[in-house]
Amino acid sequence: AVDIFHEAIKNEEYSCFLSENRTLPMMYMDDAIKATISIMEAPIASIKIRNSYNLSSLSFSPKQIESEIKKHIKSFKVIYSPDERDKLAEGWPQSIHDNHSRKDWGWEPNFNLTQMVNDIILNLSKRYKKEKV
């Protein structure tokens, strides 16, 4: 999922090995860090499950992320060439159930797809501008 942003900024084109509507669960790193800190800071009495909690943030398809990137880079183009990795991803869950995390210790992600794309594009664009100097 990260490579699409680098290619969008550098080349305005991305070759995608997934089919355009293959929806997969994802999480922005900022939300993963937030979840880690949140569970460590949660009152011990609120931690009801002792082996693990599921976390969910957002699920999206390559077509959805392409549409969001095009809001920033109008000429961006994705070439869909599904391969064996698309077949593998077909068996993955489209979303993850995290009701216990939300109920027990108040997990709530900060980023939706639009916010994530905005943040990544902003930060990668700055990074690539520095590299050109």
Side-chain angles (χ1 to χ4, degrees), residues 54-71:
N54 284 335
L55 293 174
S56 181
S57 181
L58 44 108
S59 294
F60 54 83
S61 68
K63 191 68 174 172
Q64 289 170 305
I65 202 162
E66 174 188 2
S67 295
E68 287 296 325
I69 291 172
K70 281 184 174 183
K71 291 176 183 177

PDB file of all heavy atoms in Angstrom, residues 54-71:
ATOM      1  N   ASN A  54      -8.128  -7.419  18.700  1.00  0.00           N
ATOM      2  CA  ASN A  54      -8.088  -7.021  17.296  1.00  0.00           C
ATOM      3  C   ASN A  54      -8.191  -5.510  17.218  1.00  0.00           C
ATOM      4  O   ASN A  54      -8.853  -4.880  18.041  1.00  0.00           O
ATOM      5  CB  ASN A  54      -9.271  -7.618  16.517  1.00  0.00           C
ATOM      6  CG  ASN A  54      -9.089  -9.077  16.212  1.00  0.00           C
ATOM      7  OD1 ASN A  54      -7.975  -9.568  16.141  1.00  0.00           O
ATOM      8  ND2 ASN A  54     -10.190  -9.781  16.026  1.00  0.00           N
ATOM      9  N   LEU A  55      -7.540  -4.946  16.229  1.00  0.00           N
ATOM     10  CA  LEU A  55      -7.649  -3.521  15.934  1.00  0.00           C
ATOM     11  C   LEU A  55      -8.109  -3.370  14.495  1.00  0.00           C
ATOM     12  O   LEU A  55      -7.681  -4.106  13.617  1.00  0.00           O
ATOM     13  CB  LEU A  55      -6.300  -2.822  16.079  1.00  0.00           C
ATOM     14  CG  LEU A  55      -5.705  -2.738  17.459  1.00  0.00           C
ATOM     15  CD1 LEU A  55      -4.316  -2.147  17.388  1.00  0.00           C
ATOM     16  CD2 LEU A  55      -6.590  -1.924  18.380  1.00  0.00           C
ATOM     17  N   SER A  56      -8.965  -2.413  14.285  1.00  0.00           N
ATOM     18  CA  SER A  56      -9.392  -2.102  12.939  1.00  0.00           C
ATOM     19  C   SER A  56      -9.291  -0.605  12.749  1.00  0.00           C
ATOM     20  O   SER A  56      -9.462   0.161  13.693  1.00  0.00           O
ATOM     21  CB  SER A  56     -10.829  -2.569  12.726  1.00  0.00           C
ATOM     22  OG  SER A  56     -11.239  -2.283  11.410  1.00  0.00           O
ATOM     23  N   SER A  57      -9.013  -0.212  11.548  1.00  0.00           N
ATOM     24  CA  SER A  57      -8.923   1.206  11.264  1.00  0.00           C
ATOM     25  C   SER A  57      -9.733   1.523  10.018  1.00  0.00           C
ATOM     26  O   SER A  57     -10.768   2.133  10.094  1.00  0.00           O
ATOM     27  CB  SER A  57      -7.465   1.614  11.086  1.00  0.00           C
ATOM     28  OG  SER A  57      -7.354   2.974  10.841  1.00  0.00           O
ATOM     29  N   LEU A  58      -9.265   1.074   8.872  1.00  0.00           N
ATOM     30  CA  LEU A  58      -9.984   1.325   7.636  1.00  0.00           C
ATOM     31  C   LEU A  58      -9.746   0.188   6.655  1.00  0.00           C
ATOM     32  O   LEU A  58      -8.777  -0.541   6.766  1.00  0.00           O
ATOM     33  CB  LEU A  58      -9.559   2.663   7.027  1.00  0.00           C
ATOM     34  CG  LEU A  58      -8.079   3.006   7.001  1.00  0.00           C
ATOM     35  CD1 LEU A  58      -7.514   2.923   5.611  1.00  0.00           C
ATOM     36  CD2 LEU A  58      -7.899   4.404   7.539  1.00  0.00           C
ATOM     37  N   SER A  59     -10.665   0.037   5.762  1.00  0.00           N
ATOM     38  CA  SER A  59     -10.538  -0.934   4.672  1.00  0.00           C
ATOM     39  C   SER A  59     -10.777  -0.177   3.379  1.00  0.00           C
ATOM     40  O   SER A  59     -11.663   0.668   3.304  1.00  0.00           O
ATOM     41  CB  SER A  59     -11.565  -2.060   4.818  1.00  0.00           C
ATOM     42  OG  SER A  59     -11.316  -2.822   5.961  1.00  0.00           O
ATOM     43  N   PHE A  60      -9.940  -0.465   2.377  1.00  0.00           N
ATOM     44  CA  PHE A  60     -10.114   0.215   1.103  1.00  0.00           C
ATOM     45  C   PHE A  60      -9.575  -0.647  -0.027  1.00  0.00           C
ATOM     46  O   PHE A  60      -8.793  -1.565   0.185  1.00  0.00           O
ATOM     47  CB  PHE A  60      -9.451   1.594   1.097  1.00  0.00           C
ATOM     48  CG  PHE A  60      -7.997   1.605   1.468  1.00  0.00           C
ATOM     49  CD1 PHE A  60      -7.017   1.321   0.531  1.00  0.00           C
ATOM     50  CD2 PHE A  60      -7.619   1.909   2.763  1.00  0.00           C
ATOM     51  CE1 PHE A  60      -5.678   1.340   0.880  1.00  0.00           C
ATOM     52  CE2 PHE A  60      -6.279   1.942   3.119  1.00  0.00           C
ATOM     53  CZ  PHE A  60      -5.311   1.656   2.180  1.00  0.00           C
ATOM     54  N   SER A  61     -10.013  -0.322  -1.221  1.00  0.00           N
ATOM     55  CA  SER A  61      -9.570  -1.017  -2.426  1.00  0.00           C
ATOM     56  C   SER A  61      -8.544  -0.139  -3.143  1.00  0.00           C
ATOM     57  O   SER A  61      -8.470   1.076  -2.906  1.00  0.00           O
ATOM     58  CB  SER A  61     -10.760  -1.265  -3.358  1.00  0.00           C
ATOM     59  OG  SER A  61     -11.228  -0.036  -3.883  1.00  0.00           O
ATOM     60  N   PRO A  62      -7.779  -0.727  -4.058  1.00  0.00           N
ATOM     61  CA  PRO A  62      -6.865   0.090  -4.856  1.00  0.00           C
ATOM     62  C   PRO A  62      -7.592   1.210  -5.621  1.00  0.00           C
ATOM     63  O   PRO A  62      -7.075   2.319  -5.739  1.00  0.00           O
ATOM     64  CB  PRO A  62      -6.231  -0.912  -5.815  1.00  0.00           C
ATOM     65  CG  PRO A  62      -6.271  -2.201  -5.074  1.00  0.00           C
ATOM     66  CD  PRO A  62      -7.586  -2.160  -4.321  1.00  0.00           C
ATOM     67  N   LYS A  63      -8.795   0.939  -6.108  1.00  0.00           N
ATOM     68  CA  LYS A  63      -9.553   1.959  -6.844  1.00  0.00           C
ATOM     69  C   LYS A  63      -9.907   3.134  -5.939  1.00  0.00           C
ATOM     70  O   LYS A  63      -9.844   4.299  -6.360  1.00  0.00           O
ATOM     71  CB  LYS A  63     -10.829   1.344  -7.441  1.00  0.00           C
ATOM     72  CG  LYS A  63     -11.533   2.225  -8.408  1.00  0.00           C
ATOM     73  CD  LYS A  63     -10.709   2.384  -9.658  1.00  0.00           C
ATOM     74  CE  LYS A  63     -11.435   3.143 -10.729  1.00  0.00           C
ATOM     75  NZ  LYS A  63     -10.566   3.448 -11.859  1.00  0.00           N
ATOM     76  N   GLN A  64     -10.256   2.847  -4.674  1.00  0.00           N
ATOM     77  CA  GLN A  64     -10.582   3.927  -3.746  1.00  0.00           C
ATOM     78  C   GLN A  64      -9.355   4.784  -3.429  1.00  0.00           C
ATOM     79  O   GLN A  64      -9.448   6.010  -3.376  1.00  0.00           O
ATOM     80  CB  GLN A  64     -11.157   3.352  -2.450  1.00  0.00           C
ATOM     81  CG  GLN A  64     -12.545   2.770  -2.616  1.00  0.00           C
ATOM     82  CD  GLN A  64     -12.989   2.009  -1.388  1.00  0.00           C
ATOM     83  OE1 GLN A  64     -12.309   1.089  -0.926  1.00  0.00           O
ATOM     84  NE2 GLN A  64     -14.130   2.386  -0.852  1.00  0.00           N
ATOM     85  N   ILE A  65      -8.220   4.140  -3.229  1.00  0.00           N
ATOM     86  CA  ILE A  65      -7.016   4.917  -2.918  1.00  0.00           C
ATOM     87  C   ILE A  65      -6.552   5.694  -4.161  1.00  0.00           C
ATOM     88  O   ILE A  65      -6.093   6.826  -4.043  1.00  0.00           O
ATOM     89  CB  ILE A  65      -5.904   4.028  -2.319  1.00  0.00           C
ATOM     90  CG1 ILE A  65      -4.933   4.894  -1.523  1.00  0.00           C
ATOM     91  CG2 ILE A  65      -5.179   3.214  -3.334  1.00  0.00           C
ATOM     92  CD1 ILE A  65      -4.065   4.136  -0.567  1.00  0.00           C
ATOM     93  N   GLU A  66      -6.728   5.110  -5.324  1.00  0.00           N
ATOM     94  CA  GLU A  66      -6.418   5.833  -6.569  1.00  0.00           C
ATOM     95  C   GLU A  66      -7.252   7.109  -6.660  1.00  0.00           C
ATOM     96  O   GLU A  66      -6.718   8.184  -6.969  1.00  0.00           O
ATOM     97  CB  GLU A  66      -6.712   4.931  -7.779  1.00  0.00           C
ATOM     98  CG  GLU A  66      -6.562   5.622  -9.109  1.00  0.00           C
ATOM     99  CD  GLU A  66      -7.048   4.782 -10.282  1.00  0.00           C
ATOM    100  OE1 GLU A  66      -7.549   3.652 -10.089  1.00  0.00           O
ATOM    101  OE2 GLU A  66      -6.924   5.280 -11.411  1.00  0.00           O
ATOM    102  N   SER A  67      -8.533   7.014  -6.367  1.00  0.00           N
ATOM    103  CA  SER A  67      -9.416   8.190  -6.422  1.00  0.00           C
ATOM    104  C   SER A  67      -8.976   9.270  -5.448  1.00  0.00           C
ATOM    105  O   SER A  67      -9.013  10.460  -5.781  1.00  0.00           O
ATOM    106  CB  SER A  67     -10.864   7.786  -6.111  1.00  0.00           C
ATOM    107  OG  SER A  67     -11.345   6.930  -7.105  1.00  0.00           O
ATOM    108  N   GLU A  68      -8.554   8.875  -4.263  1.00  0.00           N
ATOM    109  CA  GLU A  68      -8.087   9.855  -3.272  1.00  0.00           C
ATOM    110  C   GLU A  68      -6.781  10.514  -3.712  1.00  0.00           C
ATOM    111  O   GLU A  68      -6.605  11.720  -3.545  1.00  0.00           O
ATOM    112  CB  GLU A  68      -7.914   9.201  -1.900  1.00  0.00           C
ATOM    113  CG  GLU A  68      -9.202   8.882  -1.191  1.00  0.00           C
ATOM    114  CD  GLU A  68     -10.033  10.114  -0.836  1.00  0.00           C
ATOM    115  OE1 GLU A  68      -9.456  11.180  -0.507  1.00  0.00           O
ATOM    116  OE2 GLU A  68     -11.268  10.014  -0.893  1.00  0.00           O
ATOM    117  N   ILE A  69      -5.874   9.724  -4.257  1.00  0.00           N
ATOM    118  CA  ILE A  69      -4.594  10.283  -4.722  1.00  0.00           C
ATOM    119  C   ILE A  69      -4.835  11.267  -5.868  1.00  0.00           C
ATOM    120  O   ILE A  69      -4.183  12.312  -5.951  1.00  0.00           O
ATOM    121  CB  ILE A  69      -3.610   9.163  -5.120  1.00  0.00           C
ATOM    122  CG1 ILE A  69      -3.165   8.388  -3.870  1.00  0.00           C
ATOM    123  CG2 ILE A  69      -2.399   9.741  -5.858  1.00  0.00           C
ATOM    124  CD1 ILE A  69      -2.354   7.136  -4.156  1.00  0.00           C
ATOM    125  N   LYS A  70      -5.786  10.961  -6.747  1.00  0.00           N
ATOM    126  CA  LYS A  70      -6.078  11.838  -7.886  1.00  0.00           C
ATOM    127  C   LYS A  70      -6.589  13.211  -7.453  1.00  0.00           C
ATOM    128  O   LYS A  70      -6.518  14.162  -8.216  1.00  0.00           O
ATOM    129  CB  LYS A  70      -7.085  11.175  -8.821  1.00  0.00           C
ATOM    130  CG  LYS A  70      -6.457  10.148  -9.722  1.00  0.00           C
ATOM    131  CD  LYS A  70      -7.475   9.586 -10.693  1.00  0.00           C
ATOM    132  CE  LYS A  70      -6.773   8.667 -11.668  1.00  0.00           C
ATOM    133  NZ  LYS A  70      -7.703   8.157 -12.680  1.00  0.00           N
ATOM    134  N   LYS A  71      -7.063  13.326  -6.233  1.00  0.00           N
ATOM    135  CA  LYS A  71      -7.460  14.638  -5.717  1.00  0.00           C
ATOM    136  C   LYS A  71      -6.242  15.542  -5.555  1.00  0.00           C
ATOM    137  O   LYS A  71      -6.356  16.759  -5.578  1.00  0.00           O
ATOM    138  CB  LYS A  71      -8.190  14.492  -4.381  1.00  0.00           C
ATOM    139  CG  LYS A  71      -9.548  13.839  -4.500  1.00  0.00           C
ATOM    140  CD  LYS A  71     -10.175  13.649  -3.127  1.00  0.00           C
ATOM    141  CE  LYS A  71     -11.511  12.924  -3.236  1.00  0.00           C
ATOM    142  NZ  LYS A  71     -12.088  12.674  -1.887  1.00  0.00           N
TER     143      LYS A  71
END
